[in-house]
């Protein structure tokens, strides 16, 4: 596919309202010569609202379900009226389509409410509506503004396994479908728009990629069309040394490596979905994180490892994790013990983050949201298990930091007063992670960030 060159993904805040969508369309309009494939999320907070609707319907709260469905429809209908005020004919068409989507959603929500039961399959259908609505509205508005835009239903090309709420992409199938569908949609057009997050399985049933999955959609599409670049447009000036919502005085990073970005995202930096990097790496496609509220900014380039300098880049964190401590005297001299333990994690689909072992103990961290009751029960059949709740995980990330002289001292020096429960130094040379009490997190990350980024020159490679 020679002529399609870039993927531009706009997150919830970049399509939140009239002003944001107007800015976003202006940004897309300035890049039509690069043939953009635009990928959009739901309007900001709409996916949360859809989850609430799902819960409320499943618990058969009819009054609340009706109230929430009303809010959802009203927000989208008002937006259409604002955006398309100057184009009454297009406004009519857009309103008809938005109401059609909302009517289908109402029907589904009331059906769930009637039976009081919500399958993952129906939940996926329900929560997909945010992206369908936003992409529909933006597509009509782009056309009204003179940007001829083709609409692609992502469910035709993004194929996942049968895990309805956290579909795993079937990459070969996506790579086979996307180019044809996109180039067909591009015929006679200046741009193409599609949805992030939503997909379908091989049987054509709806699935989603999991929360924050639109970034992942964008990079899968970028991989499939061999895009020249993948742009992730959000509400911050690129990737920073820590989450600016939590940490003061964070610094902007001009460029980082694929590996650093993947580790940052995996270890908690919400700026990118953790799996976004993987498809881009496959085809060596640079990713850019850009601010739709400040489009002239340079943003952060995420590039191949060789183009990036060594050094500390970020402090990432997960605010709420559990530590599962597994004790067994049998671990000593018993081959196969670790295998048995991790088989149980795998059978229960609990994903493990950090691991540390001693002679008769294994400690692992898992996200607080993981369901671990059955896992703990099964482990308890042959080991003692203690679960520590209310912990947080902090990771210092940067290319080759594990080889920097004084790095461990510099990481742990600011933590004088707090307990450190687990320490794990990544085998990749890119990260050092540790666990602290949740209530200490804010202070720990601020102190650590100040300490690492105020005197970076003290570190030397050995
Ligand atoms: P979108 O809706 O565009 O996908 P997200 O809210 O998912 O946006 O991601 C952007 C947010 O990520 C920022 O507002 C910021 O608070 C957060 N964030 C976390 N870690 C970082 C980091 N290291 N650099 C920049 N932003 C970060
Ligand atoms: N709208 C989805 C969510 O809020 C996907 C995304 O925004 O990336 O999780
Ligand atoms: Mg996001």
């Amino acid at each position: 596919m020679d002529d399609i060159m870039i993927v531009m993904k706009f997150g919830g805040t970049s399509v939140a309202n009239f002003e944001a969508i107007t800015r976003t369309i202006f940004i897309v309009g300035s890049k039509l010569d690069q043939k953009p494939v635009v990928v959009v999320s739901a309007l900001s907070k709409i996916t949360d609202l859809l989850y609430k609707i799902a819960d409320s319907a499943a618990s058969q709260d009819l009054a609340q379900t009706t109230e929430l469905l009303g809010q959802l429809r009203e927000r989208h209908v008002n937006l259409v009226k604002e955006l398309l005020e100057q184009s009454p004919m297009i406004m009519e068409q857009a309103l008809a389509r938005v109401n059609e989507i909302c009517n289908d959603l109402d029907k589904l929500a009331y059906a769930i409410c009637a039976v009081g039961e919500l399958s993952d399959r129906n939940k996926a259908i329900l929560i997909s509506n945010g992206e369908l609505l936003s992409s529909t509205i933006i597509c009509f508005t782009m056309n009204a503004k003179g940007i001829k835009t083709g609409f692609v239903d992502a469910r035709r090309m993004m194929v996942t396994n049968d895990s309805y709420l956290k579909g795993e992409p079937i990459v070969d199938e996506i790579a086979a479908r996307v180019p044809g569908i996109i180039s067909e949609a591009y015929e006679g057009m200046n741009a193409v728009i599609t949805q992030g997050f939503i997909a379908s399985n091989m049987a054509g049933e709806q699935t989603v990629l999991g929360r924050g999955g639109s970034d992942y959609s964008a990079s899968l599409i970028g991989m499939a069309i061999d895009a020249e670049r993948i742009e992730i447009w959000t509400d911050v000036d690129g990737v920073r040394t820590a989450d600016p919502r939590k940490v003061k005085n964070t610094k902007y990073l001009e460029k980082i490596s694929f590996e650093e970005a993947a580790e940052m995202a995996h270890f908690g930096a919400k700026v990118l979905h953790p799996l976004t990097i993987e498809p881009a790496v496959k085809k060596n496609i640079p990713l850019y994180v850009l601010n739709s509220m400040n489009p002239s900014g340079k943003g952060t380039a995420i590039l191949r490892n060789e183009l990036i300098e060594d050094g500390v880049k970020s402090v990432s964190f997960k605010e709420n994790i559990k530590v599962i401590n597994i004790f067994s005297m049998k671990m000593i001299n018993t081959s196969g013990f670790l295998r048995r333990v991790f088989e149980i994690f795998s059978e229960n689909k609990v994903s493990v983050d950090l691991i540390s072992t001693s002679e008769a103990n294994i400690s692992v961290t898992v996200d607080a949201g993981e369901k671990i009751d059955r896992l703990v029960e099964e482990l308890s059949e042959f080991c003692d298990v203690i679960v520590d709740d209310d912990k947080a995980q902090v990771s210092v990330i940067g290319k080759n930091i594990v080889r920097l002289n004084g790095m461990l001292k510099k990481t742990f020096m600011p933590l004088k007063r707090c307990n450190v429960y687990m320490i794990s130094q990544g085998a990749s040379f890119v990260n050092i992670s540790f666990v602290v009490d949740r209530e200490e997190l804010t202070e720990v990350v601020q102190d650590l960030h100040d300490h690492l980024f105020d005197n970076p020159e003290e570190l030397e490679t050995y």
Side-chain angles (χ1 to χ4, degrees):
M1 212 184 231
D2 307 329
D3 50 1
I4 292 179
M5 295 201 306
I6 64 169
V7 174
M8 304 175 79
K9 177 263 172 176
F10 293 88
T13 43
S14 303
V15 296
N17 51 30
F18 172 86
E19 290 77 21
I21 292 178
T22 306
R23 259 194 316 261
T24 286
I25 296 179
F26 182 79
I27 295 168
V28 174
S30 70
K31 300 213 176 181
L32 298 181
D33 56 329
Q34 299 174 53
K35 291 232 167 180
V37 175
V38 179
V39 177
V40 289
S41 295
L43 313 187
S44 125
K45 303 276 181 328
I46 286 294
T47 309
D48 293 340
L49 180 57
L50 286 162
Y51 270 90
K52 264 198 222 154
I53 292 173
D55 287 345
S56 157
S59 59
Q60 298 192 293
D61 187 338
L62 187 60
Q64 194 191 31
T65 306
T66 305
E67 153 71 20
L68 298 175
L69 287 167
Q71 278 177 25
L72 184 124
R73 188 187 294 255
E74 194 184 324
R75 178 145 171 224
H76 290 94
V77 164
N78 288 345
L79 182 62
V80 171
K81 289 182 181 161
E82 266 185 288
L83 284 166
L84 293 167
E85 200 184 1
Q86 316 288 337
S87 320
M89 299 247 294
I90 300 182
M91 188 207 286
E92 282 304 305
Q93 293 167 21
L95 282 176
R97 183 69 194 118
V98 163
N99 279 313
E100 203 180 331
I101 297 172
C102 290
N103 293 344
D104 287 349
L105 169 63
D106 289 358
K107 259 190 240 157
L108 176 62
Y110 288 130
I112 295 163
C113 215
V115 292
E117 233 177 66
L118 177 57
S119 62
D120 284 356
R121 183 164 164 268
N122 277 332
K123 193 166 183 177
I125 300 176
L126 203 144
I127 59 179
S128 296
N129 283 290
E131 271 69 13
L132 287 176
L133 284 163
S134 63
S135 58
T136 298
I137 296 171
I138 296 165
C139 187
F140 275 112
T141 311
M142 286 172 73
N143 281 294
K145 286 179 183 280
I147 304 174
K148 284 191 276 168
T149 306
F151 183 88
V152 173
D153 186 328
R155 294 168 294 186
R156 290 173 58 209
M157 56 184 189
M158 303 305 284
V159 188
T160 69
N161 67 0
D162 294 341
S163 169
Y164 294 103
L165 298 175
K166 218 172 175 199
E168 288 170 26
I170 302 174
V171 173
D172 291 346
E173 193 62 32
I174 293 172
R177 291 190 192 190
V178 169
I181 291 176
I182 297 284
S183 57
E184 191 186 291
Y186 236 112
E187 266 167 41
M189 298 291 173
N190 311 124
V192 160
I193 189 166
T194 190
Q195 308 77 34
F197 184 55
I198 73 173
S200 65
N201 65 12
M202 288 299 275
E205 295 171 318
Q206 232 165 280
T207 61
V208 295
L209 299 183
R211 293 309 306 264
S214 294
D215 302 327
Y216 194 19
S217 302
S219 88
L220 286 161
I221 293 171
M223 175 210 68
I225 62 172
D226 259 322
E228 196 164 293
R229 51 203 265 148
I230 298 163
E231 298 180 350
I232 306 291
W233 290 85
T234 181
D235 61 353
V236 271
D237 280 320
V239 180
R240 306 188 66 87
T241 46
D243 185 345
R245 279 186 217 168
K246 183 92 182 171
V247 179
K248 289 192 224 90
N249 306 323
T250 61
K251 294 177 174 50
Y252 154 76
L253 295 162
E254 195 178 328
K255 52 184 183 172
I256 55 176
S257 70
F258 285 133
E259 200 182 351
E260 288 170 331
E263 295 267 331
M264 283 173 74
H266 181 75
F267 287 97
K270 197 191 151 214
V271 64
L272 287 173
H273 182 279
L275 296 173
T276 310
I277 305 301
E278 209 180 277
V281 169
K282 269 202 182 118
K283 293 270 183 82
N284 192 19
I285 303 172
L287 274 151
Y288 291 83
V289 176
L290 297 146
N291 187 352
S292 66
M293 280 173 268
N294 177 23
S296 56
K298 278 171 63 189
T300 299
I302 304 175
L303 307 169
R304 38 176 235 280
N305 211 17
E306 302 82 75
L307 302 174
I308 305 300
E309 286 169 13
D310 286 356
V312 187
K313 305 294 163 52
S314 132
V315 176
S316 292
F317 52 86
K318 289 193 174 181
E319 301 216 30
N320 194 4
I321 58 139
K322 298 180 213 250
V323 180
I324 305 178
N325 298 292
I326 303 159
F327 303 87
S328 174
M329 291 314 285
K330 288 192 214 119
M331 187 170 156
I332 303 165
N333 299 330
T334 312
S335 64
F337 180 83
L338 285 176
R339 197 193 67 210
R340 193 157 162 222
V341 165
F342 287 109
E343 263 169 11
I344 293 177
F345 275 86
S346 155
E347 281 157 19
N348 284 283
K349 297 199 166 47
V350 174
S351 80
V352 168
D353 243 352
L354 306 181
I355 305 174
S356 74
T357 63
S358 70
E359 208 179 0
N361 160 250
I362 313 171
S363 295
V364 303
T365 65
V366 302
D367 280 345
E370 294 276 3
K371 294 194 177 65
I372 59 165
D373 293 351
R374 222 182 77 196
L375 170 118
V376 170
E377 226 171 81
E378 288 175 22
L379 289 172
S380 303
E381 283 169 20
F382 63 102
C383 329
D384 293 326
V385 182
I386 297 176
V387 178
D388 288 332
D389 291 313
D390 291 326
K391 297 284 176 273
Q393 185 173 306
V394 181
S395 305
V396 177
I397 290 161
K399 185 178 168 192
N400 282 329
I401 53 165
V402 171
R403 293 200 178 117
L404 291 178
N405 228 344
M407 191 60 221
L408 284 176
K409 185 169 139 210
K410 212 165 160 72
T411 299
F412 291 107
M413 201 147 70
L415 313 180
K416 285 175 207 114
R417 290 176 318 279
C418 80
N419 289 327
V420 173
Y421 295 90
M422 261 176 84
I423 300 175
S424 164
Q425 185 169 289
S428 59
F429 301 117
V430 178
N431 109 51
I432 298 167
S433 295
F434 56 91
V435 173
V436 295
D437 284 315
R438 213 176 146 199
E439 61 204 19
E440 308 265 17
L441 179 70
T442 308
E443 206 182 324
V444 165
V445 288
Q446 188 67 59
D447 289 353
L448 180 57
H449 182 274
D450 291 347
H451 196 69
L452 287 174
F453 292 99
D454 287 348
N455 319 295
E457 67 285 355
E458 276 177 29
L459 298 166
E460 286 167 14
T461 313
Y462 60 84

